[in-house]
Amino acid sequence: MKKIVISLGGSILVPSLESNNISKYVDVLKELSKKYQIFVVIGGGGEARRYINVARSLCIDEATSDELGIMVTRINASLLAWALGNYAHPCIPENYTQALSYAESGKIVIMGGVTPGQTTDAVSAVLAERTKADLLINATSVDGIYSADPKKKPDAEKFDKMTPDDLIEIVSGGRMNAGSNNVIDLVAAKVTQRSGIPMVVLQGTDIDNLKNALISGEFTGTTVSYSKEKPLPL
C-alpha cells in the first residue's frame, strides 16, 4: 500500500472558533485510507500563535514558547483523530518511532509537533523520510508556491513545478522563531531535498482539490520533485 504524509495547517483545520473543516477532512481521509496508508501532521495555526504571543509578552523564552505551540498542535491532532473514530489510531504520537509503531495498526496516524524549533512542515518531511512515503502533501493557506508572498506582492510568480533546489532558494530567507508561518520552512525544504520524496503544495481549504490530486492527478498547486514524471496519481 502506498504511503502518503499530509502536512495540514492548523488554520486550515480550525480557521476560527466559529468554523472548522474537520468534518470535510474526516470524509476525505476515510475514503483515502481505503487505498493508502495515511499519516497526517497538524499544525497549531492561529491559536498556537496567539498563545506564543502571550508567552512572549511574559518574557518566556522561544524554546518554551515552542513547547506551548506543540501542545496546541497535539490538541488539533486529537480533535481530528477523535472525529475519525475507528479509522484513526487513538493515540497521538509524540515522536517518529511512535508514529511508525502506530502505523502497524493499518489505521490513519495523526500527530502534531515534536521538537522546539521544528515546524510541523519539518515534522512532516522527516516523517515522510522515516516512513519511506511515496508522497508528501502540504495543505496550506495558498494555492501553491510563489516567488514571493502573493498576499503582499500580487505580481508574484506561481510555480507549477520546481526542484527541491529551487524551493530552497525561495525559502532560505524564512524566519525560524516560534510560531513562524511560511509556506514551507527551510528545514522541511532541505529534508525534502535529501529524501527525494515528491511533494505537492496546494490550498488546504479546497478539499475537492486534494481529493482530485490523489484520485485523478488533476489539481491546482505546485509539485516539488527531481523527477520529470508526474507524481500523481500514485
Side-chain angles (χ1 to χ4, degrees):
M1 182 177 283
K2 300 285 188 178
K3 299 175 185 175
I4 298 172
V5 175
I6 301 174
S7 176
L8 180 57
S11 294
I12 300 300
L13 191 69
V14 186
S16 69
L17 293 176
E18 292 76 29
S19 65
N20 68 80
N21 291 308
I22 295 174
S23 295
K24 294 177 182 178
Y25 268 96
V26 165
D27 292 340
V28 169
L29 291 173
K30 282 181 178 180
E31 182 176 350
L32 294 176
S33 68
K34 297 173 184 177
K35 185 177 180 181
Y36 305 108
Q37 169 68 66
I38 303 287
F39 298 83
V40 185
V41 182
I42 309 291
E47 201 63 39
R49 287 187 284 276
R50 282 189 284 274
Y51 275 100
I52 287 168
N53 285 336
V54 171
R56 286 181 182 142
S57 72
L58 298 171
C59 299
I60 295 172
D61 64 87
E62 287 294 305
T64 305
S65 298
D66 255 341
E67 291 279 9
L68 193 61
I70 288 170
M71 292 178 191
V72 177
T73 68
R74 291 176 180 168
I75 290 173
N76 287 341
S78 296
L79 272 173
L80 182 58
W82 293 336
L84 280 162
N86 289 331
Y87 280 83
H89 194 283
C91 300
I92 304 302
E94 296 186 1
N95 55 59
Y96 304 108
T97 301
Q98 285 183 354
L100 288 167
S101 175
Y102 295 168
E104 293 175 4
S105 68
K107 296 185 177 184
I108 301 169
V109 176
I110 304 171
M111 64 189 295
V114 172
T115 305
Q118 188 180 56
T119 68
T120 48
D121 281 344
V123 172
S124 301
V126 174
L127 182 62
E129 190 174 48
R130 287 289 304 272
T131 58
K132 297 181 175 59
D134 297 280
L135 181 69
L136 170 61
I137 294 179
N138 190 287
T140 184
S141 60
V142 292
D143 61 349
I145 298 173
Y146 288 76
S147 57
D149 187 344
K151 296 176 183 177
K152 297 178 181 178
K153 296 185 177 181
D155 60 343
E157 178 188 1
K158 180 187 172 185
F159 302 100
D160 292 327
K161 190 178 187 305
M162 61 170 52
T163 68
D165 301 338
D166 298 328
L167 177 61
I168 287 172
E169 284 189 26
I170 290 175
V171 304
S172 58
R175 60 191 179 91
M176 291 296 292
N177 53 342
S180 60
N181 186 29
N182 303 305
V183 61
I184 297 287
D185 74 78
L186 183 58
V187 174
K190 287 188 172 181
V191 173
T192 300
Q193 180 190 47
R194 78 183 184 191
S195 72
I197 295 170
M199 176 170 64
V200 167
V201 178
L202 45 73
Q203 192 166 51
T205 53
D206 189 347
I207 314 296
D208 288 335
N209 190 46
L210 170 63
K211 181 178 175 180
N212 291 339
L214 290 164
I215 292 175
S216 67
E218 300 298 326
F219 68 98
T220 299
T222 302
T223 299
V224 181
S225 175
Y226 285 119
S227 174
K228 293 182 180 180
E229 301 294 327
K230 289 179 63 176
L232 291 167
L234 293 176

